[in-house]
Amino acid sequence: MQKITTEALRTSYEAALLFSNPLTDTISTEQFSAAYPECPEWAVGPFRKDDSLTFRRVRDWDDPAGIGWTADSIFNPSIMERDGKLYLFYRASPRKESVSSRIGVAVYDPETGWQDNPGNPVIYPTMDNEILGCEDPKVYLANGRYYMFYNGIWTTDQGTEQGGENPEVYPLGDVGCDINAAVSDDLIHWEKLGLAVPHEISRYWAKGAVIPRNAHGEAVKIDGHYLMYLSEGCGGTTHVGRSTDLVDWTFEPQDYLDLGPLGGSLHEVACAIVSDGERPELVLDFFYADADGQFAAAQALYDISRPFTQKALNRGGSLAWGGLLKFGGSWVFAQGWDAPAGSREMYFYRADPS
């Protein structure tokens, strides 16, 4: 693993400025979530844009690395409510979906509107496995504290052996992707805890620390454990982690999603939604390639007591990478894919009240 230095960070930033991906540049949130072909009672959504919550980042951050870093795109956020205020954690990148990302937070007060945190970025590269950036925060509340899981992107050592059950599916390339963790008491100041998914499990690539979360952003224990669904990486085999405290995890291979009725192949699980009610249900919201190879979203239903036994599938989903939250009486999520280039806007989407 390459050591983090100012020069290495500058090289990463310069490469990011040249990045362009025609596929992800054309993704629109509404193509996945605005309408579902069918809408069973258990499905979460569809969603409509709520312009009253739009966030616009209007000022550049101070750059802790001193390399002149700035961003023209914000996306892949997570949201949390605290004391009636909405906290928006977002990935900021020099170009949409590029490396050299940082993580910031903005706070929405219903009386005064949005304020970007003047201390941003709250998470930025400081460790060797973050040399190419810090991405895609997922935030959870548990036992009065807040836990963030995010991707640390790094330059691999080509002599590293990947191994794994299906190394041909995820061959080791020039870039590694780790799931790192951080903890906070106030959602503003974060202490990094380091690697959450060990390399013997990730095979040097793992994305998406998806933990079942309820309408208040609280991580939900199932049979005495928090569960973490891993879907992208891990040598091409889906895994599930178990923890009693969201810090120490054990992982094992686990099948939990069958796309047979839909066709296609899984890209990544976006979030896990635990419904309200006396008999709560679990819904996995996920991103996949359909039978024609096109990007698509869908949701899968589970009993909360049987979190790996799929009961139903429905096409259409939020692709809310940081999870959904009930705010203002209905489920909401945020995404910045639809913002015009260079505008640094984040749009919110709301399901009809239920």
Side-chain angles (χ1 to χ4, degrees), residues 228-347:
M228 182 189 294
Y229 291 82
L230 298 179
S231 52
E232 181 180 328
C234 299
T237 299
T238 55
H239 282 65
V240 168
R242 288 177 171 83
S243 175
T244 58
D245 59 5
L246 290 180
V247 176
D248 297 312
W249 294 86
T250 59
F251 296 89
E252 61 183 6
Q254 176 69 60
D255 291 328
Y256 55 79
L257 194 56
D258 177 12
L259 270 62
L262 295 174
S265 58
L266 179 66
H267 286 311
E268 186 178 352
V269 176
C271 59
I273 308 154
V274 177
S275 64
D276 298 322
E278 294 183 4
R279 297 185 62 185
E281 295 176 317
L282 173 67
V283 173
L284 294 187
D285 187 295
F286 61 92
F287 182 41
Y288 74 106
D290 66 15
D292 297 321
Q294 301 300 307
F295 289 156
Q299 296 177 349
L301 174 67
Y302 304 79
D303 283 331
I304 194 74
S305 60
R306 303 183 69 188
F308 314 132
T309 304
Q310 178 179 307
K311 295 175 60 179
L313 285 173
N314 191 63
R315 180 156 180 159
S318 68
L319 297 190
W321 304 112
L324 289 93
L325 191 76
K326 278 200 172 178
F327 185 77
S330 58
W331 290 103
V332 297
F333 73 95
Q335 183 53 275
W337 283 340
D338 293 301
S343 64
R344 301 193 298 194
E345 294 179 341
M346 187 72 70
Y347 303 137

Side-chain angles (χ1 to χ4, degrees), residues 48-344:
R48 54 185 170 78
K49 192 175 176 184
D50 182 350
D51 291 324
S52 70
L53 289 176
T54 296
F55 166 69
R56 295 176 176 86
R57 184 184 153 211
V58 296
R59 61 177 294 270
D60 289 330
W61 301 339
D62 292 336
D63 175 21
I67 59 173
W69 181 96
T70 189
D72 80 348
S73 185
I74 60 176
F75 54 100
N76 289 6
S78 188
I79 56 176
M80 182 67 65
E81 183 179 3
R82 176 181 168 91
D83 297 331
K85 298 178 181 179
L86 189 63
Y87 288 70
L88 170 69
F89 297 87
Y90 59 89
R91 172 180 170 182
S93 295
R95 298 290 183 268
K96 187 188 293 184
E97 299 287 354
S98 74
V99 296
S100 196
S101 297
R102 316 292 191 247
I103 295 171
V105 60
V107 182
Y108 175 78
D109 186 323
E111 295 184 358
T112 59
W114 285 104
Q115 180 179 2
D116 204 28
N117 173 39
N120 281 336
V122 293
I123 298 288
Y124 57 92
T126 59
M127 301 189 298
D128 291 344
N129 75 341
E130 299 170 347
I131 195 170
L132 298 182
C134 301
E135 305 179 351
D136 302 351
K138 297 179 186 291
V139 180
Y140 305 92
L141 170 63
N143 301 316
R145 304 198 82 188
Y146 300 94
Y147 298 82
M148 180 192 295
F149 297 87
Y150 64 96
N151 293 130
I153 311 300
W154 50 282
T155 303
T156 62
D157 177 352
Q158 290 300 299
T160 302
E161 294 293 333
Q162 181 181 22
E165 295 87 345
N166 297 302
E168 70 280 1
V169 177
Y170 289 99
L172 183 62
D174 296 331
V175 176
C177 180
D178 285 337
I179 295 176
N180 291 341
V183 65
S184 174
D185 292 317
D186 62 3
L187 291 171
I188 299 296
H189 303 91
W190 291 86
E191 175 190 354
K192 291 183 178 181
L193 302 180
L195 192 65
V197 181
H199 287 161
E200 57 264 29
I201 298 298
S202 72
R203 307 299 176 186
Y204 309 104
W205 187 279
K207 293 185 69 178
V210 173
I211 298 169
R213 198 176 91 149
N214 67 15
H216 309 291
E218 297 168 321
V220 175
K221 279 187 176 180
I222 298 175
D223 194 24
H225 289 87
Y226 299 109
L227 302 180
M228 182 189 294
Y229 291 82
L230 298 179
S231 52
E232 181 180 328
C234 299
T237 299
T238 55
H239 282 65
V240 168
R242 288 177 171 83
S243 175
T244 58
D245 59 5
L246 290 180
V247 176
D248 297 312
W249 294 86
T250 59
F251 296 89
E252 61 183 6
Q254 176 69 60
D255 291 328
Y256 55 79
L257 194 56
D258 177 12
L259 270 62
L262 295 174
S265 58
L266 179 66
H267 286 311
E268 186 178 352
V269 176
C271 59
I273 308 154
V274 177
S275 64
D276 298 322
E278 294 183 4
R279 297 185 62 185
E281 295 176 317
L282 173 67
V283 173
L284 294 187
D285 187 295
F286 61 92
F287 182 41
Y288 74 106
D290 66 15
D292 297 321
Q294 301 300 307
F295 289 156
Q299 296 177 349
L301 174 67
Y302 304 79
D303 283 331
I304 194 74
S305 60
R306 303 183 69 188
F308 314 132
T309 304
Q310 178 179 307
K311 295 175 60 179
L313 285 173
N314 191 63
R315 180 156 180 159
S318 68
L319 297 190
W321 304 112
L324 289 93
L325 191 76
K326 278 200 172 178
F327 185 77
S330 58
W331 290 103
V332 297
F333 73 95
Q335 183 53 275
W337 283 340
D338 293 301
S343 64
R344 301 193 298 194

